[in-house]
Amino acid sequence: MTSADWPAPAKLNLFLHVLGRREDGYHELQTAYQLIDLADSLSFGLREDGEIRRLEGPPSVPAETDLTVRAARQLQVAAGIRKGADIRLSKRIPIQGGLGGGSSDAATTLVALNEIWGLHMPVERLAGIGLPLGADLPFFIHGHSAWGEGIGERLTPMDLPPRHYAVVFPGIGVSTAEVFQASELTRNSPSLTIRGFLQAGGRNDCTPVATGRYPEVARALAWLARRGDARLTGTGSCVFAGFADRSQAEAALYGLPGGWSGFVALGLDRSPLQDRLAAERARQGQG
């Protein structure tokens, strides 16, 4: 049995403040997560022998280190079961682009296999299983645009104004670990409220590090800034600008330099993963 077409949507960080470094080495953050309609796609085949195999995926990511494989194995251990899965991953989200693709793939794996293996774990349990793999996994598992605090895992759902986003990927990846370990990263932003963000916005504290260490990211940000309110998402490398309608976002990408790629994305409040989950439960007669 194969269960196909499970979406793993991308996200934008509309702002990202680093409030300080915690004793455990992680950083205290504040951010606004915006889901967008760009998504990877995953399919899962049930195995009864306990093996977890990635049959398709990005060649640049070894199967054993792929977050989908690691997430499936952590779910196996947490549930204490011997069921396995064949995983096929079709990538559309740029790798190391700050769009959360790897975390979203892992979150979709947990949500899908929870259903396929008949585990019926509650969403908070799945979020706890996923958190060690990435601070934004709980966000993708809950599946709603949100205000994030802590290391990004404390979530308050948000309904954000409709926007179309012009997103530019400058053809390189940025290491999240490198940015957060950088000595030049400021770690003293004041705490912000949701009301304050909605009224005045915020910045991305990782921007000076990413642009200082990766000149192509700096070029992309400067290029898009001539067309809109451009900013970095996550730790980079993608940059984005929001617009009131699709035609404006498309116009902002006109004349994109060679070696870069760009796309227009619609902001979403609800993840398409939630709709796919509802369809799976309806198919299994769970209502």
Side-chain angles (χ1 to χ4, degrees):
M1 181 191 73
T2 299
S3 185
D5 300 324
W6 287 84
K11 58 82 179 169
L12 299 173
N13 295 93
L14 300 186
F15 84 102
L16 179 57
H17 287 183
V18 182
L19 310 187
R21 194 199 293 267
R22 300 169 13 151
E23 291 184 0
D24 60 9
Y26 288 97
H27 288 82
E28 194 75 20
L29 307 174
Q30 284 188 318
T31 190
Y33 293 115
Q34 168 74 81
L35 290 161
I36 57 175
D37 64 355
L38 176 72
D40 294 339
S41 180
L42 293 101
S43 297
F44 303 91
L46 177 65
R47 298 180 63 93
E48 299 293 348
D49 60 4
E51 284 196 42
I52 303 294
R53 303 190 306 174
R54 193 196 74 179
L55 303 185
E56 296 177 16
S60 62
V61 180
E64 288 302 302
T65 62
D66 193 307
L67 286 177
T68 61
V69 173
R70 294 171 61 193
R73 288 177 176 162
Q74 287 200 185
L75 185 61
Q76 270 185 327
V77 171
I81 63 166
R82 287 290 301 163
K83 292 182 180 179
D86 287 330
I87 303 172
R88 289 178 167 84
L89 167 60
S90 177
K91 287 294 293 181
R92 295 181 64 214
I93 303 170
I95 295 172
Q96 287 191 322
L99 299 174
S103 292
S104 189
D105 295 339
T108 292
T109 298
L110 291 173
V111 170
L113 292 182
N114 186 47
E115 296 300 311
I116 294 166
W117 289 344
L119 303 179
H120 310 300
M121 287 187 182
V123 66
E124 290 295 347
R125 178 93 188 276
L126 290 180
I129 293 169
L131 182 60
L133 296 176
D136 49 2
L137 257 85
F139 159 69
F140 287 113
I141 289 171
H142 281 275
H144 199 283
S145 287
W147 181 263
E149 297 182 287
I151 61 173
E153 89 291 5
R154 295 204 312 268
L155 303 168
T156 302
M158 297 179 71
D159 292 323
L160 295 163
R163 299 286 275 172
H164 288 80
Y165 296 94
V167 184
V168 174
F169 173 59
I172 63 167
V174 170
S175 165
T176 295
E178 178 187 350
V179 172
F180 277 116
Q181 292 167 6
S183 60
E184 68 268 32
L185 177 67
T186 58
R187 300 173 172 88
N188 58 358
S189 283
S191 181
L192 190 63
T193 65
I194 294 177
R195 179 189 292 270
F197 162 70
L198 293 174
Q199 289 177 344
R203 63 182 178 276
N204 186 331
D205 288 337
C206 298
T207 300
V209 180
T211 56
R213 296 190 174 207
Y214 296 86
E216 203 67 5
V217 175
R219 282 189 60 216
L221 188 63
W223 184 87
L224 191 58
R226 295 195 293 269
R227 293 153 175 83
D229 181 15
R231 56 190 60 207
L232 190 77
T233 178
T235 56
S237 60
C238 286
V239 299
F240 70 94
F243 297 91
D245 59 58
R246 185 176 187 88
S247 63
Q248 290 178 322
E250 290 173 343
L253 295 175
Y254 181 77
L256 197 69
W260 298 359
S261 59
F263 59 90
V264 173
L266 176 66
L268 305 173
D269 282 330
R270 176 182 167 88
S271 172
L273 177 59
Q274 301 306 308
D275 297 328
R276 179 63 181 84
L277 177 60
E280 183 73 11
R281 288 177 172 174
R283 187 185 67 80
Q284 294 179 7
Q286 297 178 26

